[in-house]
Amino acid sequence: MFEKLLFKSMLQLNSRTLATLFFCFTAGVSMSQTVRGKVIDRQTGLPVAAAVVTEKNTQRHAVSGNGGSFVFDTVALGRQSFFIQCMGYEPQELLNVSVDAGREVVLEIRLDPEIVALGEVVVKAAAPKNRPVNEMAMNSARSFSVEETERYAGSLGDPSRMAANFAGVVASGDQRNDIIIRGNSPMGVLWRVDGFTIPNPNHFGAVGTSGGPVGMLNNNLLKTSDFYTGAFPAEFGNALSGAFDIHLREGNTNKYQFTGQVGFNGFEFGVEGPVSKKMESSFLLNYRYSTLAVFDALNINMGLGRAVPQYQDVSFKATVGKTAWGEWSLFGIAGTSHIELIDSENDGSSWSYGFAGQDTYFGSDMAVTGLTNRKTLSDNTVLETRLSWQGQRNTTKIDTLSQALIPSPQYRSFLGENKYVLSSKIKTRFDSKNILAGGFSYDLIQPILDDKFFTADNRSIVLRDSKILTSKLEMFGEYRRAFSSKLSVYGGLHYIHLFFNSTGSFEPRMGINYRLNSKHSFNFGYGLHGQQQSFLFYLLEKKL
């Protein structure tokens, strides 16, 4: 329907107007673009100097500096491939990198240390493109790029809808992006952004769920991230079926760039650029507004009546790369959404969406912000400290209609949660074969639950009227040993403790990976997982 509407609007323009618009658009389009990036050690995250990056189409080379950065000033538009090699690391190949006009391409290349046996030279093939970013992930994990969130059928730029195309994962339906991993409930999926566990990052998402009709995570801000379908590393807890480990990219540190686009998810506008080139600091900001809401504001009838989904969200990230206290980054995601299903005003020409005889008002809001400090303690040891505030809430109002279409109250609710998080993680690499990591996360939780329903005589019955303050503690330790270039073993332990009911769970994790060749491997994984359920299930009043 959207495509037909836009096509009709374009037909109304005369040929001279179209020619003028086409000339103005093409006049400023360059046939090449800048490609730059940073080469880092996959295990420690430290920059790798003297890495040679080759553009395969032209065989031009760029060498990374002391900070791991490299740049190609002019790269032809289209899909390009790059080959990266550095002494002491496995070579890597990036295929089908999309180079578009109007925006620099920024790459983050993670190299694996090369394991060389004494007495012989081992030549390694390029690493698989779907190898997880997290080197502790031995199995049931894969990485995905920004392009993949748009390439798969029905993904709509949403990581969750994209994951429904992977083996062992199915979508619960077309209306929402909830996913079922190996038969488990969608509620068992964990969402993490830049190391922070966050609430449900979807518009119209209810408290305690993990999905919704439209995602808040804007793929224009993402870089290569990980998706887990089970037996995930000990760092990941409070989840039963799977986990998304989303990473946000940094803004352009050289020049300002602006982005605008229109799609299913909404009208979008983004800006990014440097704050201080000397400190390698940058920012990026993206805002999005509901497409259907824009059409409704223009009095374009989409046949929805008043049931027009209204939503908007904003995402940002700011980074400071060089300070005496290490690297700093601050990110935030916030979104609000609401919809009105008013059957009392339905003249019969609009859908009732299964709510006939009712007037329903539903709204959901979510906001999260997180500050990260990354301090290099030595050449092989990195300490990360994080501080976050998170909040979410749902408001619901349901009225029943009499035969005269007079509404009377049936249900009212305000369900929400505020959370304050302090976490820390330390990782050290003794050598190319041994990695040890550990950390903790302490959550101060304030659930706010207030809901009630009404009887036929308009008497209210309270289900919940609770506002408490409690906390949760998670700790983990993990170790990986590479016995050779083919065999790696992983072991870890995760512990979660909920102070509300003084219960805890020790959860061992282990994994074995044996590479048969460059294309095949044998994997074994084990994990015991536990999850704190929503406080909707912990706090309930029943009055007879």
Side-chain angles (χ1 to χ4, degrees):
M1 185 178 294
F2 296 157
E3 289 80 3
K4 292 181 179 179
L5 179 63
L6 294 174
F7 182 70
K8 290 180 179 178
S9 299
M10 292 181 65
L11 289 178
Q12 296 175 2
L13 300 176
N14 56 46
S15 59
R16 177 176 296 178
T17 303
L18 288 174
T20 303
L21 290 174
F22 179 78
F23 175 78
C24 294
F25 177 77
T26 56
V29 175
S30 172
M31 298 307 293
S32 64
Q33 185 56 267
T34 300
V35 175
R36 62 186 182 87
K38 189 174 184 179
V39 184
I40 61 177
D41 187 298
R42 180 186 296 273
Q43 297 180 353
T44 65
L46 298 176
V48 176
V52 179
V53 184
T54 303
E55 182 193 354
K56 299 188 69 175
N57 187 37
T58 63
Q59 290 299 307
R60 291 190 303 158
H61 306 287
V63 180
S64 61
N66 292 332
S69 300
F70 67 91
V71 62
F72 290 95
D73 292 328
T74 56
V75 175
L77 302 184
R79 295 189 179 274
Q80 305 295 340
S81 299
F82 299 88
F83 184 76
I84 306 94
Q85 54 186 342
C86 182
M87 183 177 297
Y89 290 89
E90 295 183 1
Q92 186 176 147
E93 188 174 18
L94 298 181
L95 301 175
N96 297 321
V97 176
S98 180
V99 180
D100 301 321
R103 185 172 67 179
E104 285 188 345
V105 178
V106 181
L107 304 175
E108 182 181 83
I109 301 170
R110 295 173 176 263
L111 297 182
D112 290 295
E114 185 179 26
I115 301 174
V116 181
L118 295 176
E120 61 179 312
V121 177
V122 179
V123 180
K124 299 298 297 180
K129 68 175 185 177
N130 60 353
R131 178 178 294 180
V133 176
N134 188 344
E135 72 281 355
M136 293 294 191
M138 303 295 293
N139 46 62
S140 298
R142 60 157 295 160
S143 65
F144 62 90
S145 64
V146 177
E147 281 190 317
E148 289 181 277
T149 63
E150 300 175 341
R151 185 186 307 163
Y152 286 95
S155 58
L156 302 175
D158 187 334
S160 191
R161 293 182 185 271
M162 172 210 65
N165 293 275
F166 297 157
V169 184
V170 297
S172 61
D174 293 335
Q175 299 83 5
R176 294 171 58 90
N177 61 11
D178 303 81
I179 56 174
I180 300 170
I181 302 175
R182 296 175 176 172
N184 290 291
S185 168
M187 293 176 62
V189 176
L190 175 76
W191 286 94
R192 230 174 62 151
V193 174
D194 275 3
F196 294 92
T197 300
I198 66 170
N200 184 352
N202 293 283
H203 290 293
F204 304 102
V207 174
T209 63
S210 64
V214 182
M216 292 185 196
L217 294 174
N218 195 308
N219 67 332
N220 287 326
L221 276 66
L222 306 185
K223 62 182 180 182
T224 302
S225 305
D226 287 344
F227 174 62
Y228 301 85
T229 58
F232 24 88
E235 182 180 355
F236 296 83
N238 200 31
L240 297 178
S241 61
F244 284 94
D245 191 15
I246 304 295
H247 300 283
L248 302 181
R249 65 180 180 87
E250 291 76 23
N252 194 316
T253 56
N254 290 329
K255 64 180 182 180
Y256 295 99
Q257 295 186 150
F258 302 89
T259 304
Q261 67 181 36
V262 181
F264 169 82
N265 293 327
F267 283 74
E268 299 182 25
F269 174 77
V271 58
E272 62 181 283
V275 177
S276 170
K277 293 184 179 181
K278 180 179 179 181
M279 300 181 65
E280 295 185 0
S281 60
S282 65
F283 77 96
L284 57 85
L285 176 69
N286 192 282
Y287 173 77
R288 180 168 53 187
Y289 191 82
S290 166
T291 302
L292 290 175
V294 173
F295 289 162
D296 183 62
L298 296 175
N299 293 322
I300 300 175
N301 187 5
M302 306 300 295
L304 301 175
R306 287 186 58 181
V308 177
Q310 306 276 345
Y311 61 85
Q312 54 186 318
D313 56 65
V314 62
S315 305
F316 72 88
K317 183 173 181 178
T319 59
V320 180
K322 291 183 178 180
T323 71
W325 292 92
E327 303 174 6
W328 296 84
S329 66
L330 176 69
F331 88 95
I333 301 173
T336 180
S337 53
H338 71 275
I339 190 170
E340 299 178 356
L341 305 172
I342 312 300
D343 196 50
S344 60
E345 299 181 6
N346 189 354
D347 58 4
S349 62
S350 302
W351 292 96
S352 64
Y353 301 96
F355 291 89
Q358 293 181 343
D359 284 352
T360 301
Y361 308 79
F362 177 78
S364 69
D365 306 297
M366 191 280 281
V368 56
T369 183
L371 176 67
T372 300
N373 171 256
R374 190 171 187 272
K375 177 70 173 176
T376 301
L377 302 181
S378 68
D379 291 341
N380 296 318
T381 304
V382 176
L383 174 65
E384 296 179 350
T385 305
R386 297 182 172 90
L387 185 64
S388 172
W389 171 83
Q390 307 173 13
Q392 60 174 332
R393 67 178 182 179
N394 295 143
T395 55
T396 306
K397 175 184 175 183
I398 302 177
D399 293 337
T400 56
L401 304 178
S402 65
Q403 292 184 349
L405 298 181
I406 299 175
S408 59
Q410 179 185 4
Y411 179 73
R412 300 287 187 273
S413 74
F414 180 92
L415 308 176
E417 183 177 279
N418 294 316
K419 186 162 64 173
Y420 307 87
V421 182
L422 172 64
S423 64
S424 184
K425 172 186 174 181
I426 188 169
K427 180 191 292 185
T428 183
R429 187 185 72 190
F430 300 105
D431 49 43
S432 61
K433 297 182 178 181
N434 298 277
I435 311 172
L436 180 66
F440 76 94
S441 175
Y442 179 77
D443 301 359
L444 189 62
I445 309 170
Q446 184 184 43
I448 303 172
L449 308 176
D450 181 8
D451 60 341
K452 57 188 174 182
F453 68 90
F454 296 84
T455 61
D457 57 356
N458 207 29
R459 182 171 58 91
S460 65
I461 298 180
V462 175
L463 295 176
R464 280 168 288 251
D465 184 9
S466 305
K467 185 177 181 180
I468 64 171
L469 186 65
T470 185
S471 58
K472 179 185 67 178
L473 175 66
E474 294 184 59
M475 297 185 294
F476 77 94
E478 53 188 357
Y479 171 73
R480 173 177 172 171
R481 165 75 176 179
F483 290 95
S484 68
S485 60
K486 291 187 175 182
L487 177 63
S488 297
V489 177
Y490 166 85
L493 180 66
H494 183 274
Y495 176 74
I496 180 173
H497 186 89
L498 182 60
F499 290 91
F500 175 74
N501 55 6
S502 298
T503 58
S505 173
F506 285 96
E507 302 166 2
R509 314 282 172 82
M510 67 172 296
I512 299 174
N513 176 272
Y514 183 78
R515 297 186 194 178
L516 300 176
N517 50 49
S518 61
K519 296 182 178 180
H520 302 87
S521 64
F522 172 79
N523 299 276
F524 171 81
Y526 168 80
L528 179 64
H529 305 286
Q531 183 182 34
Q532 172 211 325
Q533 298 302 307
S534 169
F535 280 95
L536 290 170
F537 305 107
Y538 289 91
L539 303 171
L540 178 64
E541 299 178 14
K542 183 177 181 180
K543 297 181 180 179
L544 301 178

